[in-house]
């Protein structure tokens, strides 16, 4: 079954273009409009690609989750959306390796006849190996609390990672803090209490962030 998904329908992007021609000075000029419509599926994929290129993989994942919740998609489209979710979730900036395994298995189980199944079958072993390595790190007696935080966060167990972070006063690197901001755990709000974390955004903007739920 799909992991919990947000349901949304992306709006269509309409582009208009006008053309005119004239063969003689005495001929009047006429214009014709050509309209091109981008499908909600293609628009969502394009938006996700642009977000990744801008360094915002967590938001790209959220956009694809919305797409995968669209019941009007064909099996081929759903398979591709889930495969792309697996790709991004298992990437270094996706922070959800266990989720990536689930997405690939979802494709192989429910969309085995689609082109995305072959891609998912190829990507699954490497992602499973990454999960296994993180589990070893998590269970090792030689791992520091910071090591365990990173293992949990990369596995996709974000709440556990944050609990460990707060209880042990761990200061993550900028990348992990920025991911927390992009996912929605940290907020830029002067009314929030608790420890502030200095974060540099992709465009160089400096932000002072605190946990959004006040309780951390």
């Amino acid at each position: 079954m799909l992991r919990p998904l947000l349901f949304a329908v992306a709006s269509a992007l309409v582009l208009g273009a006008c053309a005119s021609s004239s063969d003689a000075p005495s001929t009047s000029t006429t214009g014709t409009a050509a309209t091109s419509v981008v499908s909600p599926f293609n628009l969502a994929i394009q938006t996700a690609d642009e977000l990744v290129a801008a360094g915002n993989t967590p938001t790209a994942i959220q956009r694809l989750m919305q797409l995968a919740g669209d019941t009007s998609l064909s099996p081929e489209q759903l398979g591709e959306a889930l495969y792309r979710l697996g790709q991004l979730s298992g990437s270094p900036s996706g922070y959800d390796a266990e989720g990536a395994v689930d997405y690939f298995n979802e494709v192989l189980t429910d969309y085995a006849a689609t082109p995305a199944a072959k891609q998912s079958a190829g990507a699954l072993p490497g992602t499973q190996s990454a999960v296994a390595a993180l589990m070893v790190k998590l269970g090792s007696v030689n791992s520091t609390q910071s090591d365990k935080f990173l293992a949990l966060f990369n596995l996709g167990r974000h709440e556990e990672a944050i609990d460990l972070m707060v209880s042990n006063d761990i200061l993550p690197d900028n990348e992990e803090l920025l991911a927390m901001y992009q996912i929605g755990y940290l907020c830029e709000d002067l009314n929030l209490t608790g420890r502030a974390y200095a974060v540099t955004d992709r465009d160089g903007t400096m932000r002072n962030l605190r946990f959004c739920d006040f309780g951390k």
Side-chain angles (χ1 to χ4, degrees):
M1 298 297 295
L2 286 173
R3 290 161 66 87
L5 300 173
L6 299 174
F7 176 80
V9 178
S11 59
L13 177 65
V14 181
L15 300 176
C18 296
S20 61
S21 62
S22 177
D23 295 328
S26 60
T27 303
S28 62
T29 301
T30 59
T32 59
T35 302
S36 175
V37 178
V38 179
S39 73
F41 175 81
N42 289 332
L43 179 59
I45 295 296
Q46 177 183 324
T47 300
D49 288 343
E50 291 172 350
L51 286 166
V52 172
N56 198 337
T57 300
T59 304
I61 290 172
Q62 293 167 7
R63 184 65 190 91
L64 290 178
M65 288 175 68
Q66 292 176 338
L67 177 65
D70 185 350
T71 57
S72 71
L73 297 183
S74 68
E76 289 74 18
Q77 290 173 326
L78 279 170
E80 182 177 349
L82 289 168
Y83 167 68
R84 285 174 177 262
L85 274 167
Q87 266 192 319
L88 294 186
S89 297
S91 70
S93 56
Y95 300 106
D96 191 7
E98 287 183 324
V101 170
D102 290 343
Y103 287 127
F104 292 142
N105 279 326
E106 180 83 19
V107 177
L108 293 172
T109 300
D110 294 343
Y111 304 97
T114 69
K118 183 177 181 180
Q119 295 171 301
S120 296
L124 182 58
T127 309
Q128 289 174 322
S129 296
V131 169
L134 290 169
M135 292 300 296
V136 169
K137 178 71 71 174
L138 186 60
S140 174
V141 295
N142 295 320
S143 294
T144 65
Q145 296 292 63
S146 293
D147 292 334
K148 293 179 179 180
F149 161 80
L150 285 173
L152 287 168
F153 200 70
N154 280 286
L155 283 167
R157 304 181 189 183
H158 299 153
E159 294 290 346
E160 290 181 59
I162 290 171
D163 286 341
L164 186 69
M165 167 186 165
V166 174
S167 61
N168 290 274
D169 197 27
I170 296 170
L171 179 60
D173 290 338
N174 190 79
E175 284 300 304
E176 285 70 44
L177 290 171
L178 182 57
M180 289 183 200
Y181 173 60
Q182 292 171 338
I183 294 170
Y185 292 113
L186 294 176
C187 293
E188 191 173 31
D189 186 340
L190 295 177
N191 295 319
L192 291 173
T193 59
R195 178 175 178 175
Y197 298 90
V199 177
T200 303
D201 213 332
R202 299 294 183 203
D203 61 0
T205 302
M206 300 291 295
R207 302 182 187 277
N208 282 316
L209 307 176
R210 292 177 170 83
F211 282 103
C212 307
D213 61 4
F214 288 87
K216 297 297 182 183

